[in-house]
Amino acid sequence: MYKKTIFFKALIFSVCLFISSCYSIPRYNPEKSMDKYDEFKNLEIPLYFDAGIYPFIYVNIQGNKIPLHIDIGDETGSFSLKEKSLESIRTNSIAERNAFVDFNGSIKSNEYFKVNEIDIEGVKFKNLVCKKDNANLPNYLMNIGDIGFNFLREFNFKLDYKNKLLTLYKKGFTPDNIGTSWQKIVLNKKPLLTFSGFIQGYDKKLQIGIDTGMIMIGKDIVKNLVRIPLESDFILKQKTDFLYKDPKLKVIKKLSITTENSLINNLDFLMYEIKQPDDRDIFLGVDFFFKYNTFFDNKNNLLYISKY
């Protein structure tokens, strides 16, 4: 009997270990990196889903067309490049590494280098600190690097899965229609990309993380994650099913999350014992992004959402 292979993504929410050899990743500075930054307003970047369910973009590095998937949960670098991509790119080694704890609790290290220029849809970004991507991913993602939050946090940006578009705006700018008509969620300052809320029917306040690269089961079934104890009375009352009839892959159906100002409804959650990070109870993944248009105001630490 054919058995589906299960892949869990291990890049997200990487936590740097504070040890003496840990490399301090420099903040990306668009004012120094971009030509005519004062004139910059926005940049529309097509999203592609050809590799499965993770969105990716194409960038140009030294005449090479390089695919990078959008991974806002990756806080350990601006751009990550696969070994195959690096074969045709000239880089400047900075002889730096750092150690971090990955999603499954394993200690890993990153190797950093500089790339002189990356072209995204005709806009040039210069002198970028990048890292070598050694993630163990399934074959259809093996040659796709990523663009992480260290880069994206220096802009406001909209992720629109329905229209397959990532739009970068100058940090601090929010289009009027989004600021006035979309639901607003106040994000925590620490940890990044988290907020406090409740699952309807469960009275404990939960810490909720957001990540475009959350998890995949097989190639095309995507769920959010929840860490409420399995023995909880709340769990026993919920409608559930099992992926691939596997009792270890229990899915809670159609839950809603509430915050002070917003309602996120009709989400499915996979029960999963997560080792890292231990300061988040819920993880909103690709299932969430397929159901909600999102805008990140990184100057004011706000997330705006609008249901498709």
Side-chain angles (χ1 to χ4, degrees), residues 201-204 227-238 250 252 271:
Y202 189 68
D203 57 6
K204 179 186 175 183
R227 204 162 30 188
I228 297 173
L230 279 170
E231 64 274 14
S232 164
D233 289 340
F234 172 79
I235 295 296
L236 296 175
K237 296 176 183 177
Q238 305 308 308
K250 188 173 185 178
I252 308 172
M271 300 293 301

Side-chain angles (χ1 to χ4, degrees), residues 59-74:
V59 303
N60 189 294
I61 305 177
Q62 300 167 14
N64 300 284
K65 190 177 181 181
I66 307 294
L68 302 174
H69 78 81
I70 311 299
D71 190 356
I72 63 174
D74 182 3

Side-chain angles (χ1 to χ4, degrees), residues 6 8 217 241-244 246-251 270:
I6 300 172
F8 290 101
I217 308 297
D241 61 18
F242 299 98
L243 293 182
Y244 314 137
D246 185 339
K248 295 181 180 179
L249 297 177
K250 188 173 185 178
V251 176
L270 175 71

Side-chain angles (χ1 to χ4, degrees), residues 9 11 48-59 65-71 74 79-86 131-147 216 219:
K9 184 169 181 294
L11 277 176
Y48 300 87
F49 293 87
D50 300 359
I53 44 73
Y54 286 141
F56 69 94
I57 67 172
Y58 283 109
V59 303
K65 190 177 181 181
I66 307 294
L68 302 174
H69 78 81
I70 311 299
D71 190 356
D74 182 3
F79 294 87
S80 300
L81 301 177
K82 292 291 189 179
E83 189 168 356
K84 182 176 180 180
S85 298
L86 292 171
K131 68 177 181 180
K132 184 177 180 180
D133 188 343
N134 296 311
N136 183 22
L137 296 176
N139 289 336
Y140 61 91
L141 284 178
M142 281 303 295
N143 296 320
I144 300 180
D146 78 57
I147 175 171
M216 65 185 134
K219 184 172 180 178

Side-chain angles (χ1 to χ4, degrees), residues 97-115:
R97 291 177 176 267
N98 72 2
F100 66 94
V101 181
D102 74 9
F103 184 60
N104 289 309
S106 301
I107 298 176
K108 302 289 182 68
S109 67
N110 287 319
E111 176 184 346
Y112 291 88
F113 52 87
K114 283 188 178 180
V115 172

Side-chain angles (χ1 to χ4, degrees), residues 30-190:
E31 294 185 51
K32 294 182 179 180
S33 172
M34 296 174 64
D35 289 334
K36 300 180 180 179
Y37 174 77
D38 291 340
E39 300 176 14
F40 174 77
K41 292 185 178 179
N42 62 68
L43 175 62
E44 293 186 343
I45 308 169
L47 292 177
Y48 300 87
F49 293 87
D50 300 359
I53 44 73
Y54 286 141
F56 69 94
I57 67 172
Y58 283 109
V59 303
N60 189 294
I61 305 177
Q62 300 167 14
N64 300 284
K65 190 177 181 181
I66 307 294
L68 302 174
H69 78 81
I70 311 299
D71 190 356
I72 63 174
D74 182 3
E75 301 167 15
T76 63
S78 296
F79 294 87
S80 300
L81 301 177
K82 292 291 189 179
E83 189 168 356
K84 182 176 180 180
S85 298
L86 292 171
E87 292 175 357
S88 55
I89 294 173
R90 297 183 304 278
T91 64
N92 299 313
S93 175
I94 54 179
E96 295 286 1
R97 291 177 176 267
N98 72 2
F100 66 94
V101 181
D102 74 9
F103 184 60
N104 289 309
S106 301
I107 298 176
K108 302 289 182 68
S109 67
N110 287 319
E111 176 184 346
Y112 291 88
F113 52 87
K114 283 188 178 180
V115 172
N116 60 343
E117 183 178 279
I118 295 179
D119 184 305
I120 306 178
E121 296 298 310
V123 176
K124 294 177 173 57
F125 303 85
K126 299 180 179 179
N127 300 317
L128 295 156
V129 175
C130 304
K131 68 177 181 180
K132 184 177 180 180
D133 188 343
N134 296 311
N136 183 22
L137 296 176
N139 289 336
Y140 61 91
L141 284 178
M142 281 303 295
N143 296 320
I144 300 180
D146 78 57
I147 175 171
F149 195 61
N150 196 46
F151 175 80
L152 292 171
R153 70 187 296 184
E154 301 307 326
F155 300 88
N156 281 7
F157 64 92
K158 181 170 70 170
L159 269 174
D160 183 348
Y161 278 30
K162 182 178 180 180
N163 294 299
K164 299 181 179 180
L165 203 62
L166 164 66
T167 306
L168 304 183
Y169 298 88
K170 186 173 288 188
K171 195 171 184 177
F173 175 79
T174 301
D176 289 340
N177 67 308
I178 292 177
T180 57
S181 61
W182 290 26
Q183 294 186 73
K184 180 173 69 175
I185 298 173
V186 178
L187 298 176
N188 300 323
K189 292 184 178 180
K190 289 184 179 181

Side-chain angles (χ1 to χ4, degrees), residues 12-16 18 72-75 149 153 185-197 206-211 227 276-283 296 298 301-303:
I12 63 165
F13 293 118
S14 301
V15 181
C16 182
F18 291 95
I72 63 174
D74 182 3
E75 301 167 15
F149 195 61
R153 70 187 296 184
I185 298 173
V186 178
L187 298 176
N188 300 323
K189 292 184 178 180
K190 289 184 179 181
L192 293 173
L193 295 175
T194 65
F195 62 94
S196 301
L206 304 171
Q207 293 302 307
I208 302 163
I210 315 161
D211 187 6
R227 204 162 30 188
Q276 289 289 343
D278 59 6
D279 52 5
R280 299 161 177 89
D281 304 295
I282 288 176
F283 303 83
F296 293 81
N298 290 312
N301 222 36
L302 299 172
L303 169 64

